[in-house]
Amino acid sequence: MKGLRLLEGDAPEVAPLLLGAVLTSQIGGILTSVRIVEVEAYRHDDPASHSFSGPTARNATMFGPPGRLYVYRSYGIHWCANVVTGVAGVGAGVLLRGGIPIEGMDVMVQRRGRASQLTNGPGKLAQALGITREHDGTDLSNGLVRLEPAGGSVPFRVTPRIGITKAVDAPWRFVADL
DNA sequence: GTCTAGATCGCCT
DNA sequence: GGCGATCTAGACG
């Protein structure tokens, strides 16, 4: 069962395929899931990517095989979750920026400490699902965090990415059309 | 609704 | 020592 075969492609091609996918977490023994509606692609030769300057202790997971979860600390406070794409040895991935809660909303409210804006940002999404550094490297096909690609394609919009200072014009942010 | 500052960790120069 | 793939609270209107 190589269900995540589609992740082997180039990040900007794979990213839109993740829109509509269902991300499920069983962290803490509690089931929470969201439908992915916003992502960004980060290529290995992309100055905005953590992998651009080669492997480090932090980004090692990005250089591993595709289909794993890459988690990093953002601004010293938040956790952000990515799906590793491409082939092993080449650091590339897709940042999960936003979702729509499907299951476990009550738990998300508890984890987030508020009842709205649960998963509409990378840090918030990770917090709502309970994802931290401990889950870096998790296999998304059979781990505590799993990804189930959408059956069909979803209409989406393309824009430049958010919150970066390099390669700001690359149109590699993908948002599902509602 | 808008704008601004502050929190705080790992990596890089 | 500086800065970032962020979010929040508080100020203002």
Side-chain angles (χ1 to χ4, degrees):
Chain A
M1 54 125 229
K2 286 270 58 172
L4 298 176
R5 185 103 192 199
L6 78 158
L7 297 178
E8 290 171 19
D10 198 22
E13 291 174 18
V14 171
L17 304 178
L18 296 183
L19 296 174
V22 176
L23 185 69
T24 302
S25 125
Q26 298 181 135
I27 292 163
I30 307 165
L31 182 70
T32 51
S33 63
V34 301
R35 186 171 298 278
I36 302 298
V37 296
E38 181 181 347
V39 298
E40 282 178 1
Y42 286 87
R43 282 174 53 85
H44 63 100
D45 59 353
D46 171 6
S49 173
H50 289 168
S51 59
F52 183 65
S53 303
T56 66
R58 174 174 71 156
N59 66 22
T61 300
M62 285 190 89
F63 290 86
R68 302 232 281 231
L69 191 67
Y70 165 50
V71 183
Y72 71 93
R73 181 81 99 167
S74 175
Y75 291 91
I77 301 177
H78 310 285
W79 297 107
C80 294
N82 302 244
V83 176
V84 178
T85 65
V87 296
V90 177
V94 175
L95 170 67
L96 304 177
R97 287 195 57 91
I100 296 175
I102 299 174
E103 268 181 279
M105 276 198 56
D106 48 336
V107 185
M108 297 189 201
V109 169
Q110 204 173 320
R111 285 177 177 151
R112 293 272 299 113
R114 61 189 54 233
S116 62
Q117 317 281 101
L118 291 177
T119 55
N120 62 333
K124 307 179 206 180
L125 180 65
Q127 187 185 13
L129 294 184
I131 294 172
T132 71
R133 178 100 227 195
E134 293 173 38
H135 312 289
D136 182 44
T138 298
D139 186 332
L140 288 168
S141 64
N142 62 16
L144 277 182
V145 182
R146 301 188 190 194
L147 184 71
E148 218 172 299
S153 60
V154 174
F156 62 88
R157 252 170 306 155
V158 184
T159 79
R161 294 172 293 182
I162 304 289
I164 55 175
T165 57
K166 297 165 194 161
V168 291
D169 292 328
W172 288 339
R173 173 172 174 254
F174 305 87
V175 187
D177 265 322
L178 308 175

